[in-house]
């Protein structure tokens, strides 16, 4: 080996103690918040070997520069820079995986989570209660949602109830983004995680084979001062996807469930248009059925584009090509449906409803497989 590479500096520097606690902080455009956050964490964790793992999804506001400026003099500050990726949940997961610390926390990078809770969370995990997950909870006595307006409070409340139905254990605030857990607990959940959207705590709890021992500590959700919230319609959609994935995801892909749901809406739409065209407009049956089919195909395409494949949404010219392809694929599906059902009902003498159902399910699977591979491919 080249002796020059072993500079005295490398040989003699005392190794820093390995971190006991890793605080994973997903950040997206939080340039003004990362400095105050590090200072706040440092203030409340004296005597604890901590590290902060920022996970940045390619911020454009100088967030990484702000982090790098601190990291140049403080080796406890680390960062994962993801390009072409999004998502609070996957950011937390990958941040936790990049660390060796036996205790891992999730905390927002916008100062809305009260860092004073961190030492109490760690103490609870190490205490004799044997807690596996400690949650910073807004919905236990002493906790609160701060200055959220009634609309956001109502949404959070409703979403919390939905989440609680998916969990087999009692949790007051399963939607909290502020929690700490043992690495062993994280590793037990790891391979079952859905990693969809924002709600990583719910994902973790639902991914554990047995309900974990949970302690909830109250905190007041603070008001955001700098930067903007990233909560948008996509977050709601992702939350529904997560719930579906957590309930039936081990049986069928969550997208297929959505696609089938949209298909069901399409049938209702078809029947309504058929009724309208026949009874109100007095059109002949063939015309009415044709119009109803066209409307249903259009409706299905729009809903699938918005919802089922919302993350791969086609816009502008590509949406029109997509619609044309979707109509073509649906037509082929319908022909397949008809021939299979006719074959079962005729030569095979299967009962009418089995023949009908097999035909319909076959065309549904066909439409889904081909649409997702061709129209909304990655
Ligand atoms: N890396 C990365 N990627 N970070 C993200 C992303 C992303 O796609 N989306 C948001 N973040 C970061 C933000 O920069 C911030 O540090 C943190 O995640 C929370 O995002 P906000 O946009 O501020 O979320 P919120 O305040 O509306 O919601 C928070 O509070 C809820 C209630 O406690 C989140 O913590 C939710 O998980 C939590 O349920
Ligand atoms: Mn926030």
């Amino acid at each position: 080996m080249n002796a020059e590479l072993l500079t005295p500096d490398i040989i003699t520097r005392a190794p820093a103690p390995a971190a006991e606690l890793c605080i994973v902080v997903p950040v997206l455009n939080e340039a003004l918040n990362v400095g105050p956050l590090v200072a706040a964490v440092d203030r409340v964790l004296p005597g604890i070997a901590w590290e902060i793992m920022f996970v940045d999804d390619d911020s454009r506001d100088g967030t990484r520069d702000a982090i790098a400026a601190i990291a140049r003099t403080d080796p406890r500050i680390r960062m994962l820079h993801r390009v072409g990726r999004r998502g609070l949940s996957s950011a937390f997961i990958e941040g936790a995986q990049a660390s060796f610390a036996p205790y891992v926390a999730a905390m927002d990078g916008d100062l809305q989570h009260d860092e004073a809770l961190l030492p109490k969370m760690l103490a609870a995990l190490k205490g004799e209660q044997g807690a596996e997950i400690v949650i910073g909870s807004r919905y236990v006595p002493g906790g609160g949602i701060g200055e959220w307006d009634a609309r956001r409070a109502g949404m959070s409340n409703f979403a919390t109830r939905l989440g609680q139905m998916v969990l087999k254990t009692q949790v007051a605030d399963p939607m909290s983004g502020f929690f700490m857990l043992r690495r062993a607990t994280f590793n037990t959940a790891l391979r079952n995680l859905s990693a969809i959207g924002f709600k990583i705590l719910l994902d973790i709890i639902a991914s554990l084979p047995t309900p974990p021992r949970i302690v909830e500590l109250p905190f007041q959700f603070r008001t955001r001062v700098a930067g903007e919230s990233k909560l948008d319609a996509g977050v709601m959609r992702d939350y529904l996807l997560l719930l579906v994935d957590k309930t039936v995801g081990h049986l069928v892909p969550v997208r297929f469930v959505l696609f089938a749901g949209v298909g069901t809406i399409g049938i209702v739409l078809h029947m309504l248009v058929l009724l309208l065209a026949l009874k109100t407009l007095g059109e002949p049956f063939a015309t009415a059925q044709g119009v109803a089919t066209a409307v249903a195909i259009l409706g299905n395409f729009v809903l699938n584009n918005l919802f089922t494949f919302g993350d791969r949404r086609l816009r502008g010219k590509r949406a029109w090509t997509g619609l044309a392809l979707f109509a073509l694929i649906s037509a082929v599906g319908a022909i397949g449906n008809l021939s299979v059902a006719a074959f079962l009902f005729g030569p095979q003498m299967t009962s009418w409803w089995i023949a009908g159902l097999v035909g319909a399910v076959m065309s549904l699977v066909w439409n889904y497989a081909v649409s997702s591979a061709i129209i909304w491919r990655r």
Side-chain angles (χ1 to χ4, degrees):
M1 175 180 284
N2 186 345
E4 276 167 47
L5 287 177
L6 299 170
T7 64
D9 180 46
I10 292 174
I11 295 167
T12 56
R13 190 196 292 147
E20 179 179 38
L21 170 63
C22 175
I23 304 157
V24 180
V25 181
V27 279
L28 191 59
N29 300 331
E30 304 287 0
L32 295 176
N33 288 321
V34 294
L37 179 86
V38 172
V41 167
D42 192 32
R43 223 175 297 129
V44 297
L45 292 175
I48 291 167
W50 56 267
E51 66 183 5
I52 292 181
M53 180 75 69
F54 287 105
V55 185
D56 176 78
D57 284 351
D58 218 16
S59 296
R60 295 304 160 98
D61 71 337
T63 297
R64 283 183 308 288
D65 293 335
I67 295 170
I70 310 168
R72 271 193 278 278
T73 56
D74 190 342
R76 299 172 298 184
I77 305 306
R78 304 178 55 194
M79 184 179 76
L80 213 62
H81 176 187
R82 307 196 301 172
V83 175
R85 307 275 307 279
R86 276 294 298 271
L88 190 48
S89 288
S90 63
F92 171 79
I93 295 166
E94 288 171 32
Q97 283 177 295
S99 157
F100 293 108
Y103 299 98
V104 186
M107 188 172 171
D108 288 353
D110 58 2
L111 303 167
Q112 291 196 275
H113 290 160
D114 184 358
E115 64 285 341
L117 213 59
L118 289 169
K120 298 178 197 160
M121 290 168 141
L122 188 61
L125 286 180
K126 289 171 153 187
E128 62 247 22
Q129 295 154 292
E132 290 161 306
I133 302 181
V134 183
I135 303 174
S137 178
R138 298 160 297 168
Y139 299 130
V140 294
I145 55 173
E147 290 177 15
W148 272 0
D149 56 28
R151 197 176 134 266
R152 174 100 203 237
M155 265 165 48
S156 174
N157 213 301
F158 176 66
T160 301
R161 274 166 214 226
L162 273 184
Q164 284 163 336
M165 295 196 306
V166 172
L167 299 178
K168 290 172 216 77
T169 176
Q170 195 55 50
V171 190
D173 194 358
M175 320 283 287
S176 177
F178 190 26
F179 60 92
M180 195 185 288
L181 80 175
R182 303 177 188 197
R183 175 163 302 279
T185 310
F186 173 74
N187 283 341
T188 307
L190 185 58
R191 286 179 183 77
N192 298 329
L193 292 173
S194 308
I196 302 171
F198 248 55
K199 303 303 170 188
I200 179 63
L201 174 63
L202 186 124
D203 195 354
I204 291 174
I205 299 175
S207 296
L208 290 166
T210 49
R213 287 183 296 277
I214 294 175
V215 168
E216 292 190 66
L217 300 177
F219 85 103
Q220 289 287 341
F221 199 74
R222 292 196 292 230
T223 305
R224 187 190 255 280
V225 180
E228 288 163 14
S229 170
K230 281 87 203 171
L231 195 102
D232 55 14
V235 170
M236 297 284 288
R237 170 186 168 275
D238 287 348
Y239 182 52
L240 288 181
L241 286 193
L242 174 65
L243 294 182
V244 173
D245 195 43
K246 280 287 162 263
T247 31
V248 295
H250 53 292
L251 302 172
V252 279
V254 57
R255 257 189 233 279
F256 181 74
V257 176
L258 292 185
F259 195 84
V262 166
T264 310
I265 296 174
I267 291 173
V268 174
L269 191 65
H270 181 114
M271 296 312 280
L272 285 177
V273 173
L274 184 62
L275 187 76
L276 188 81
L278 274 180
K279 303 290 171 192
T280 314
L281 302 178
E283 296 292 331
F285 182 81
T287 316
Q289 176 73 354
V291 171
T293 307
V295 171
I297 288 179
L298 179 65
N300 279 9
F301 177 79
V302 169
L303 288 177
N304 281 323
N305 198 37
L306 284 176
F307 209 68
T308 316
F309 298 100
D311 53 338
R312 306 176 194 171
R313 188 170 305 161
L314 303 175
R315 291 167 210 271
K317 230 181 89 191
R318 295 183 55 218
W320 291 105
T321 332
L323 175 61
L325 271 173
F326 187 73
L328 192 70
I329 292 167
S330 306
V332 175
I335 294 169
N337 173 352
L338 280 178
S339 15
V340 168
F343 171 74
L344 287 177
F345 185 70
Q348 294 296 312
M349 296 197 293
T350 321
S351 67
W352 65 270
W353 66 270
I354 295 184
L357 195 64
V358 170
V361 170
M362 268 207 36
S363 67
L364 178 66
V365 172
W366 154 270
N367 286 353
Y368 172 74
V370 180
S371 305
S372 58
I374 295 180
I375 303 178
W376 288 285
R377 66 168 178 270
R378 250 183 240 284

PDB file of all heavy atoms in Angstrom, residues 108 110 112 221 224 229, ligand 2:
ATOM      1  N   ASP A 108     -39.910  15.713  11.570  1.00  0.00           N
ATOM      2  CA  ASP A 108     -40.014  16.623  10.434  1.00  0.00           C
ATOM      3  C   ASP A 108     -38.891  17.657  10.471  1.00  0.00           C
ATOM      4  O   ASP A 108     -38.400  18.006  11.545  1.00  0.00           O
ATOM      5  CB  ASP A 108     -41.367  17.350  10.445  1.00  0.00           C
ATOM      6  CG  ASP A 108     -42.509  16.428  10.065  1.00  0.00           C
ATOM      7  OD1 ASP A 108     -42.231  15.283   9.666  1.00  0.00           O
ATOM      8  OD2 ASP A 108     -43.672  16.867  10.172  1.00  0.00           O
ATOM      9  N   ASP A 110     -39.175  20.829   9.685  1.00  0.00           N
ATOM     10  CA  ASP A 110     -39.715  22.188   9.630  1.00  0.00           C
ATOM     11  C   ASP A 110     -39.992  22.775  11.013  1.00  0.00           C
ATOM     12  O   ASP A 110     -40.721  23.767  11.132  1.00  0.00           O
ATOM     13  CB  ASP A 110     -40.986  22.208   8.772  1.00  0.00           C
ATOM     14  CG  ASP A 110     -42.054  21.268   9.308  1.00  0.00           C
ATOM     15  OD1 ASP A 110     -41.821  20.631  10.358  1.00  0.00           O
ATOM     16  OD2 ASP A 110     -43.122  21.160   8.682  1.00  0.00           O
ATOM     17  N   GLN A 112     -41.837  21.777  13.339  1.00  0.00           N
ATOM     18  CA  GLN A 112     -43.188  21.628  13.911  1.00  0.00           C
ATOM     19  C   GLN A 112     -43.213  20.578  15.016  1.00  0.00           C
ATOM     20  O   GLN A 112     -44.125  20.544  15.833  1.00  0.00           O
ATOM     21  CB  GLN A 112     -44.185  21.259  12.804  1.00  0.00           C
ATOM     22  CG  GLN A 112     -44.420  22.419  11.839  1.00  0.00           C
ATOM     23  CD  GLN A 112     -45.660  22.215  10.988  1.00  0.00           C
ATOM     24  OE1 GLN A 112     -45.627  21.567   9.953  1.00  0.00           O
ATOM     25  NE2 GLN A 112     -46.762  22.773  11.434  1.00  0.00           N
ATOM     26  N   PHE A 221     -48.150  20.271  18.502  1.00  0.00           N
ATOM     27  CA  PHE A 221     -47.704  20.473  17.124  1.00  0.00           C
ATOM     28  C   PHE A 221     -47.495  21.970  16.902  1.00  0.00           C
ATOM     29  O   PHE A 221     -48.416  22.749  17.082  1.00  0.00           O
ATOM     30  CB  PHE A 221     -48.789  19.921  16.190  1.00  0.00           C
ATOM     31  CG  PHE A 221     -48.313  19.647  14.791  1.00  0.00           C
ATOM     32  CD1 PHE A 221     -47.506  18.555  14.526  1.00  0.00           C
ATOM     33  CD2 PHE A 221     -48.691  20.459  13.734  1.00  0.00           C
ATOM     34  CE1 PHE A 221     -47.076  18.287  13.233  1.00  0.00           C
ATOM     35  CE2 PHE A 221     -48.266  20.202  12.434  1.00  0.00           C
ATOM     36  CZ  PHE A 221     -47.459  19.104  12.188  1.00  0.00           C
ATOM     37  N   ARG A 224     -45.719  26.100  11.503  1.00  0.00           N
ATOM     38  CA  ARG A 224     -44.587  26.235  10.588  1.00  0.00           C
ATOM     39  C   ARG A 224     -44.263  27.711  10.392  1.00  0.00           C
ATOM     40  O   ARG A 224     -45.171  28.517  10.152  1.00  0.00           O
ATOM     41  CB  ARG A 224     -44.968  25.591   9.251  1.00  0.00           C
ATOM     42  CG  ARG A 224     -43.841  25.493   8.254  1.00  0.00           C
ATOM     43  CD  ARG A 224     -44.405  25.066   6.929  1.00  0.00           C
ATOM     44  NE  ARG A 224     -44.114  23.661   6.604  1.00  0.00           N
ATOM     45  CZ  ARG A 224     -42.956  23.240   6.116  1.00  0.00           C
ATOM     46  NH1 ARG A 224     -41.979  24.083   5.950  1.00  0.00           N
ATOM     47  NH2 ARG A 224     -42.787  21.974   5.812  1.00  0.00           N
ATOM     48  N   SER A 229     -45.859  23.664   3.574  1.00  0.00           N
ATOM     49  CA  SER A 229     -46.258  22.262   3.750  1.00  0.00           C
ATOM     50  C   SER A 229     -46.318  21.590   2.382  1.00  0.00           C
ATOM     51  O   SER A 229     -46.635  22.212   1.383  1.00  0.00           O
ATOM     52  CB  SER A 229     -47.616  22.187   4.427  1.00  0.00           C
ATOM     53  OG  SER A 229     -48.093  20.862   4.371  1.00  0.00           O
TER      54      SER A 229
HETATM   55 MN1  LIG B   2     -44.932  20.413   8.508  1.00  0.00          MN
END
